[in-house]
Amino acid sequence: MFEQVSAAPPDPILGLTEAFKTDPRPEKVNLGVGVFQDDEGRTPVLKAVKAAEAALLAAEKTKNYFPIAGEPEFGRKVEEFLFGEAAVPGARTAQTPGGTGALRVAADFFAEISQSRRVWLSDPTWPNHRGVFGAPGLAIQPYPYYDAARRSVNAGALADALDKVPAGDAVVLHLCCHNPTGADLDAEQWKTVSEIAARRGWLPIFDAAYIGFGDSLEADRAPLRPFLDAGVEMLIATSFSKNFGLYRERAGALTLVAPARAADAVFSRIKRVIRVLYSNPPAHGGQIVQTILSDALLRQVWRDELNGMCARIHAMRARFAEGMARRAPDRDFAFIRAQRGMFSFSGISAAHVAWLRSERAIYMTGDGRINVAGLTPQNLDYVCDAVAAALRTERGG
Ligand SMILES: Cc1ncc(COP(=O)(O)O)c(C=O)c1O
């Protein structure tokens, strides 16, 4: 049987990391992969995480299974993290293996309850969305999102398209730090989208993978507010991979917001999906998040570290934009400063991307997406010089 099986295509982003690792050139720079890096190019364990782990190790008494949705206290802390202090009566939260796990549970749950079995994804979007939502057989439709010429959200086309999405369909919305473009909606545009969702009756599925990386915890979660205020039902897939630096621990959560009287019944369906997917969540990463969010001191340490990561991203955006303005004044890179999160579409063509990789050992995805957190004070001038040199070549235009 296995003799006939052909190989799967390599994952475009993880494949890039493999190629980067085996590149022998010491000056190499990885702007491809989606992890935060500090000024030294490392992805360290946060101090708050180390302290929480020490406390957990000392206190742990059992490795017994968790409930299907994880511990209720974890859910409460996540809901506070998303909505603030005031409880949302129709909210229920399941601890999941990372943000991807939360998205997959959302996809399977939606496939089970929906008549249309159709989900709308932003164009472009994180490539894995297509795989995750396609897995349970959902039909996938793109909605317009990015205006490449203006390097920002095409809010008019977006609103027009979402106004035509049929009731009962699902729409995946990046809460903040849109991956791959770095272009987010502003408060007014979010309000418009929430009004459309309320009027049309489609289901928003928020992908919240970067809360705290855009402007701040409070600012980045703010788009949820108009949806809550309008009484819109929704699902929120939260990842703690980036904002707690817990990548390999697989910490995430799926939050349901339903009418309060229906919430338990709906949540029981989500639990059934989890039971057949992975039965119950891995404990460690979620317990770290819960420990930090439950302890005022640890919470403050983590907030300071999160703010530090966010500030570094902003600083690198500003310095890259300045560096390019000096070296390639005829090209616009100012938008890099205005965009949010780790990613931006640099506007660099596929041919220039290939040139940067072969001639300068600088790695980015073929669409020109860069992870600005891969920039450091040490490699910034090297990268700016290389991009300017690439733009001067004939290749790619
Ligand atoms: C937009 C988006 N959603 C979800 C995820 C998944 O996060 P996790 O690693 O927690 O599964 C990522 C990770 O890169 C992402 O960029």
Side-chain angles (χ1 to χ4, degrees):
M1 179 196 284
F2 293 160
E3 298 262 317
Q4 274 97 60
V5 179
S6 59
D11 183 275
I13 296 173
L14 299 182
L16 199 67
T17 303
E18 286 312 305
F20 176 79
K21 276 191 198 150
T22 54
D23 191 322
R25 292 171 287 181
E27 69 277 20
K28 64 187 177 178
V29 179
N30 189 357
L31 302 179
V33 72
V35 300
F36 177 82
Q37 296 180 357
D38 64 14
D39 271 351
E40 277 76 48
R42 292 177 309 224
T43 305
V45 182
L46 300 190
K47 290 192 192 73
V49 167
K50 276 282 184 206
E53 283 185 308
L56 282 167
L57 194 63
E60 187 174 60
K61 293 204 173 52
T62 181
K63 296 284 187 191
N64 194 358
Y65 290 123
F66 259 176
I68 293 173
E71 288 192 313
E73 185 56 16
F74 171 86
R76 277 191 285 278
K77 287 294 154 198
V78 171
E79 286 161 27
E80 247 175 62
F81 171 85
L82 291 173
F83 308 132
E85 295 285 321
V88 175
R92 301 286 184 278
T93 295
Q95 183 182 331
T96 59
T100 309
L103 288 166
R104 180 60 199 270
V105 172
D108 280 26
F109 163 70
F110 179 70
E112 231 182 79
I113 59 145
S114 129
Q115 306 271 307
S116 74
R117 296 172 60 84
R118 189 168 42 232
V119 62
W120 297 74
L121 302 177
S122 69
D123 180 21
T125 194
W126 182 49
N128 213 22
H129 277 156
R130 234 161 283 122
V132 168
F133 286 95
L138 295 171
I140 290 170
Q141 292 284 336
Y143 62 84
Y145 186 82
Y146 190 61
D147 182 339
R150 289 176 40 244
R151 309 217 193 267
S152 58
V153 180
N154 190 344
L158 170 84
D160 286 350
L162 295 185
D163 218 352
K164 296 192 184 83
V165 170
D169 284 14
V171 177
V172 177
L173 300 163
H174 297 231
L175 181 65
C176 62
C177 308
H178 184 272
N179 179 4
T181 67
D184 285 340
L185 299 174
D186 64 23
E188 205 44 48
Q189 293 161 341
W190 275 119
K191 180 123 197 344
T192 304
V193 173
S194 71
E195 286 161 3
I196 296 171
R199 187 173 67 244
R200 296 288 312 180
W202 46 255
L203 177 73
I205 300 178
F206 282 98
D207 185 346
Y210 296 97
I211 291 180
F213 269 33
D215 283 310
S216 68
L217 168 59
E218 287 76 11
D220 292 352
R221 72 187 180 192
L224 296 172
R225 191 40 63 187
F227 290 82
L228 282 178
D229 291 347
V232 175
E233 297 175 349
M234 54 187 159
L235 294 169
I236 305 158
T238 306
S239 166
F240 298 112
S241 299
K242 322 285 156 131
N243 42 23
F244 284 78
L246 285 172
Y247 308 89
R248 67 171 65 160
E249 296 296 353
R250 312 310 299 132
L254 179 66
T255 299
L256 158 80
V257 179
R261 65 189 173 283
D264 285 330
V266 181
F267 198 54
S268 74
R269 298 289 292 269
I270 289 181
K271 285 195 259 191
R272 222 182 51 178
V273 166
I274 291 172
R275 179 74 176 127
V276 297
L277 270 178
Y278 54 85
S279 195
N280 50 74
H284 190 61
Q287 285 184 307
I288 293 169
V289 172
Q290 184 184 326
T291 304
I292 293 172
L293 293 181
S294 303
D295 180 296
L297 188 65
L298 280 183
R299 203 181 141 85
Q300 194 50 52
V301 173
W302 164 71
R303 279 300 296 259
D304 291 346
E305 291 182 287
L306 179 62
N307 292 342
M309 291 193 281
C310 185
R312 198 184 104 67
I313 290 169
H314 279 277
M316 285 301 120
R317 285 186 172 282
R319 289 183 56 182
F320 182 69
E322 273 160 31
M324 290 315 301
R326 263 185 281 120
R327 290 170 177 86
D330 52 324
R331 285 277 294 233
D332 176 24
F333 282 97
F335 65 92
I336 299 272
R337 189 200 300 260
Q339 293 180 343
R340 290 285 175 273
M342 289 202 294
F343 302 115
S344 274
F345 263 172
S346 62
I348 297 169
S349 70
H352 287 144
V353 169
W355 186 90
L356 285 165
R357 178 167 161 178
S358 67
E359 303 303 313
R360 294 292 190 275
I362 296 173
Y363 286 70
M364 61 185 78
T365 51
D367 53 11
R369 184 194 82 167
I370 56 170
N371 172 8
V372 290
L375 296 169
T376 66
Q378 291 76 43
N379 69 25
L380 195 95
D381 282 332
Y382 176 72
V383 170
C384 290
D385 284 343
V387 172
L391 296 176
R392 282 194 299 273
T393 64
E394 288 302 307
R395 305 149 62 102

mmCIF file of all heavy atoms in Angstrom, residues 55 85 227 240 286 289 318 352 389:
data_model
loop_
_atom_site.group_PDB
_atom_site.id
_atom_site.type_symbol
_atom_site.label_atom_id
_atom_site.label_comp_id
_atom_site.label_asym_id
_atom_site.label_seq_id
_atom_site.Cartn_x
_atom_site.Cartn_y
_atom_site.Cartn_z
ATOM 1 N N ALA A 55 7.183 27.104 39.595
ATOM 2 C CA ALA A 55 6.088 26.967 40.561
ATOM 3 C C ALA A 55 5.242 25.730 40.233
ATOM 4 O O ALA A 55 4.863 24.970 41.131
ATOM 5 C CB ALA A 55 5.226 28.227 40.545
ATOM 6 N N GLU A 85 -12.226 42.541 32.509
ATOM 7 C CA GLU A 85 -12.733 42.036 33.801
ATOM 8 C C GLU A 85 -14.198 41.583 33.746
ATOM 9 O O GLU A 85 -14.566 40.581 34.350
ATOM 10 C CB GLU A 85 -12.596 43.129 34.873
ATOM 11 C CG GLU A 85 -11.153 43.505 35.180
ATOM 12 C CD GLU A 85 -10.447 42.461 36.019
ATOM 13 O OE1 GLU A 85 -11.093 41.913 36.934
ATOM 14 O OE2 GLU A 85 -9.261 42.174 35.745
ATOM 15 N N PHE A 227 -18.362 43.649 18.268
ATOM 16 C CA PHE A 227 -19.087 42.405 17.989
ATOM 17 C C PHE A 227 -19.855 41.961 19.238
ATOM 18 O O PHE A 227 -21.019 41.579 19.158
ATOM 19 C CB PHE A 227 -18.116 41.300 17.541
ATOM 20 C CG PHE A 227 -17.524 41.534 16.179
ATOM 21 C CD1 PHE A 227 -16.426 42.370 16.020
ATOM 22 C CD2 PHE A 227 -18.056 40.934 15.048
ATOM 23 C CE1 PHE A 227 -15.873 42.593 14.772
ATOM 24 C CE2 PHE A 227 -17.511 41.153 13.787
ATOM 25 C CZ PHE A 227 -16.424 41.999 13.653
ATOM 26 N N PHE A 240 -1.247 31.228 22.223
ATOM 27 C CA PHE A 240 -0.306 31.818 23.184
ATOM 28 C C PHE A 240 1.137 31.528 22.772
ATOM 29 O O PHE A 240 2.052 31.682 23.566
ATOM 30 C CB PHE A 240 -0.592 31.276 24.590
ATOM 31 C CG PHE A 240 -1.977 31.635 25.073
ATOM 32 C CD1 PHE A 240 -2.942 30.660 25.236
ATOM 33 C CD2 PHE A 240 -2.312 32.955 25.327
ATOM 34 C CE1 PHE A 240 -4.234 30.996 25.646
ATOM 35 C CE2 PHE A 240 -3.596 33.293 25.735
ATOM 36 C CZ PHE A 240 -4.551 32.318 25.905
ATOM 37 N N GLY A 286 -0.801 25.432 28.728
ATOM 38 C CA GLY A 286 -1.985 26.130 29.239
ATOM 39 C C GLY A 286 -1.843 26.468 30.715
ATOM 40 O O GLY A 286 -2.269 27.534 31.165
ATOM 41 N N VAL A 289 0.208 29.576 31.103
ATOM 42 C CA VAL A 289 -0.591 30.781 30.817
ATOM 43 C C VAL A 289 -1.500 31.091 32.011
ATOM 44 O O VAL A 289 -1.573 32.237 32.479
ATOM 45 C CB VAL A 289 -1.429 30.577 29.532
ATOM 46 C CG1 VAL A 289 -2.414 31.722 29.326
ATOM 47 C CG2 VAL A 289 -0.508 30.439 28.322
ATOM 48 N N ALA A 318 10.591 50.759 12.191
ATOM 49 C CA ALA A 318 10.989 52.153 11.942
ATOM 50 C C ALA A 318 12.385 52.204 11.324
ATOM 51 O O ALA A 318 12.629 52.930 10.349
ATOM 52 C CB ALA A 318 10.951 52.941 13.253
ATOM 53 N N HIS A 352 13.395 39.046 -6.958
ATOM 54 C CA HIS A 352 14.299 39.674 -5.984
ATOM 55 C C HIS A 352 14.444 38.817 -4.732
ATOM 56 O O HIS A 352 15.525 38.758 -4.139
ATOM 57 C CB HIS A 352 13.792 41.071 -5.617
ATOM 58 C CG HIS A 352 13.988 42.080 -6.706
ATOM 59 N ND1 HIS A 352 13.089 43.091 -6.959
ATOM 60 C CD2 HIS A 352 14.972 42.216 -7.615
ATOM 61 C CE1 HIS A 352 13.521 43.814 -7.982
ATOM 62 N NE2 HIS A 352 14.654 43.303 -8.404
ATOM 63 N N ALA A 389 20.427 46.593 -3.141
ATOM 64 C CA ALA A 389 21.190 45.995 -4.250
ATOM 65 C C ALA A 389 20.266 45.141 -5.125
ATOM 66 O O ALA A 389 20.356 45.180 -6.357
ATOM 67 C CB ALA A 389 22.345 45.150 -3.707
#
